[in-house]
Amino acid sequence: MKMLLHLCCGPCAAFPVRHLREAGHEIVGYFYNPNIHPYKEFVRRLDTSKEFAAKVGLDLAVDAAYTLEDYLAGALAAGGDRCRACYELRLRQAARYAKENGFDCFTTTLLVSPYQRHETIREVGEAVAAEENVPFCYIDFRPGWPEGVRISKELELYRQPYCGCIFSERDRYCKPRKEERQCPQDSTPSEKP
Ligand code: SF4
């Protein structure tokens, strides 16, 4: 299959790329993550994704549009469900790119992380796939998480300490009360991924 792999960052791509290649798929990476704050962190993760792609010989398409307003509007409107809005923004863009460029399907490296809302990612991926008319390839990459961590360290990739948005960055230092938690990242260990 010719598959578009949405990359949330370089380290999270390590296991999915290996796994999909071993399964015989033709993969192209796709970076679109305007949820990452601040801008310098966004650039650092983009550069790390490019570094990873170069090291493993992965073609990487980049949408470097930093549509901060789109992310924030969705996250704030979603109230306590900001991660769903965040997934939808990124996966819809990936679905559209996959459709416009003749891919058989799309998937995302978000599915490797035990710290993400896995079932929500699946629901959102399948919903935008139906709306954009291109298949979402759901794969539970989580069993490969330790292997991905090992590969990313071997490749000496930058490994970020928070999920991405300004809310998750704040919560590294200022843990919300339990009843105020919105995303699993609110209780993420200090190192992510
Ligand atoms: S915690 Fe992560 S998934 Fe949730 S809104 Fe922030 S960047 Fe997106």
Side-chain angles (χ1 to χ4, degrees), residues 2 6 8 20 28 34 59-60 67-68 72 81 91 102 139 144 149 173 176:
K2 186 181 172 195
H6 167 260
C8 61
L20 292 171
V28 173
D59 285 341
L60 179 67
T67 52
L68 180 60
L72 287 173
D81 209 4
L91 294 184
I139 298 170
V149 171
Y173 308 105

Side-chain angles (χ1 to χ4, degrees), residues 35 71 75 82-83 86-87 90 116 163-165 167-168 183 185:
N35 55 305
Y71 165 75
R82 69 168 188 258
C83 295
C86 179
Y87 300 146
R90 293 186 279 168
Q116 296 288 338
C163 187
C165 66
F167 308 105
S168 60
C183 292
Q185 289 71 33

Side-chain angles (χ1 to χ4, degrees), residues 18-171:
R18 176 170 294 183
H19 178 82
L20 292 171
R21 281 177 165 166
E22 285 175 357
H25 299 296
E26 180 190 341
I27 314 161
V28 173
Y30 178 70
F31 185 97
Y32 173 71
N33 299 292
N35 55 305
I36 300 169
H37 305 111
Y39 183 69
K40 278 189 171 178
E41 177 71 16
F42 169 81
V43 171
R44 191 169 188 192
R45 295 192 196 186
L46 172 55
D47 287 348
T48 303
S49 296
K50 289 177 179 174
E51 178 190 346
F52 167 74
K55 284 178 173 173
V56 301
L58 175 73
D59 285 341
L60 179 67
V62 172
D63 184 340
Y66 194 54
T67 52
L68 180 60
E69 291 83 356
D70 290 343
Y71 165 75
L72 287 173
L76 292 173
D81 209 4
R82 69 168 188 258
C83 295
R84 181 181 291 272
C86 179
Y87 300 146
E88 182 173 347
L89 176 67
R90 293 186 279 168
L91 294 184
R92 185 176 299 284
Q93 194 80 354
R96 287 177 176 166
Y97 186 90
K99 173 83 175 170
E100 287 166 7
N101 291 279
F103 286 86
D104 297 317
C105 63
F106 71 102
T107 189
T108 175
T109 60
L110 290 163
L111 291 168
V112 79
S113 173
Y115 302 116
Q116 296 288 338
R117 287 171 47 181
H118 192 89
E119 284 308 315
T120 303
I121 296 164
R122 182 178 191 168
E123 284 171 25
V124 169
E126 289 173 350
V128 297
E131 288 164 14
E132 303 297 334
N133 198 26
V134 58
F136 176 64
C137 181
Y138 168 74
I139 298 170
D140 186 354
F141 293 121
R142 287 176 297 182
W145 171 259
E147 175 70 358
V149 171
R150 190 193 63 74
I151 297 169
S152 68
K153 288 182 175 174
E154 192 176 280
L155 295 176
E156 300 183 331
L157 300 178
Y158 161 62
R159 296 168 50 76
Q160 60 267 22
Y162 61 100
C163 187
C165 66
I166 196 70
F167 308 105
S168 60
E169 197 276 343
R170 171 201 62 192
D171 295 339

